[in-house]
Amino acid sequence: MPRVLSCIQPTGSVHLGNYLGALVNWVSGQHDGDVYHGIVDLHALTVTETPHVLGNQTIELAAMLFAVGLDPNVATVFVQSHIHEHSELAWIMECTVSYGELSRMTQFKDKSAKREGDFISAGLFTYPALQAADILLYDADEVPVGEDQRQHIEITRDIAIRFNHRFGDTFVLPKAVHPKAGARVMDLQDPTSKMSKSATTDSGIIYMLDENSVIEKKFKRAVTDSDGVVAYDRENKPGVANLLDILAAASHTTVENLVDQYSQYGPLKKDAGDAVIALLDPIRTRYHELMNDRGELARLLSIGNDRAREVAAQTLGRAHNAIGLLPRI
Ligand code: ATP
Ligand code: LTN
């Protein structure tokens, strides 16, 4: 079984796009590989300055990952900052990557340009070294990522190759894999843009924790078009196509099976809303149960943390030995 690592930053609230586009696949894929899911809070530090926020976001995201169905006895769910080996290996990675290589990272260029006038931390620049540590610590064979992260996987490979060349075979070379395509969920108010936590208004976003009445209202107000025909045409009828995609994904069927069943937008919106409510209601209930039972939540998280720590400690030890650092006295 391949060792697979995916990581998610604890920033913003999880929404239906994240769920149908990514988390559903994490859950269904947990039996197909030896999967590790890191909540990478140290990465979020590169752009987070407010005290006492990150910890809450981390525990909320952990509760959500368990609520959607990740089983800690199958998938290893861990918190990056709880495994000190990440920070330790990151330093070694920083000494194995060059200033020039880091300067070529498009994510750094984009993010630092957006923060013009704001504080740009050195961490934002060395971010890929920490990401390389995340990946190499777990001997990951595969890292499912979108296009925007490919460059970071490439630089991780380059770092691993350089380290192995300098100090002897130590790290497994990871490869980026395309995650199984999930549904692409668009904003209900602006169906030409993807549903995203960085959207300017909340009215087109279905959050995992929205109450049923809120979900119902958001679907009722979803933007469609004025020609009144139910057909699947992403380009010319993006609002209707989005509703059909969401309904298909939420009720585990196909758009082809659905499209002939509707002649009006009203019933389509109602059924899409109902299907999403049926999907999210039990997840929200489980989420709140876990958030109200912090002992149980900590227990679930510690299962993954313990397993991750064991693997990470061995790999860091291997790296120290390869470099030839003085063994601990
Ligand atoms: P941002 O808008 O700030 O980039 P986001 O809401 O798009 O945030 P990410 O944290 O970038 O979320 O993505 C987490 C995962 O969810 C990724 O695998 C991404 O592909 C997926 N995802 C995010 N939005 C959608 C969407 N609207 N439809 C399908 N998948 C999505
Ligand atoms: N940079 C990634 C998050 C991330 C990651 C990782 C992804 C941090 N460490 C390790 C895969 C493997 C992002 O911004 N989505």
Side-chain angles (χ1 to χ4, degrees), residues 5-9 40 43 80 107 111 127 130-131 134-135 143-145 148-149 152-153:
L5 174 88
S6 333
C7 292
I8 182 165
Q9 296 196 40
V40 288
H43 275 97
Q80 185 187 34
Q107 182 173 294
K111 286 200 176 172
Y127 179 115
L130 179 59
Q131 184 162 349
D134 300 338
I135 297 168
V143 188
V145 284
D148 66 319
Q149 290 299 314
H152 287 165
I153 312 307

Side-chain angles (χ1 to χ4, degrees), residues 260-274:
D260 295 336
Q261 295 176 27
Y262 294 92
S263 54
Q264 287 175 309
Y265 296 162
L268 173 61
K269 288 181 179 183
K270 164 106 181 56
D271 287 359
D274 287 350

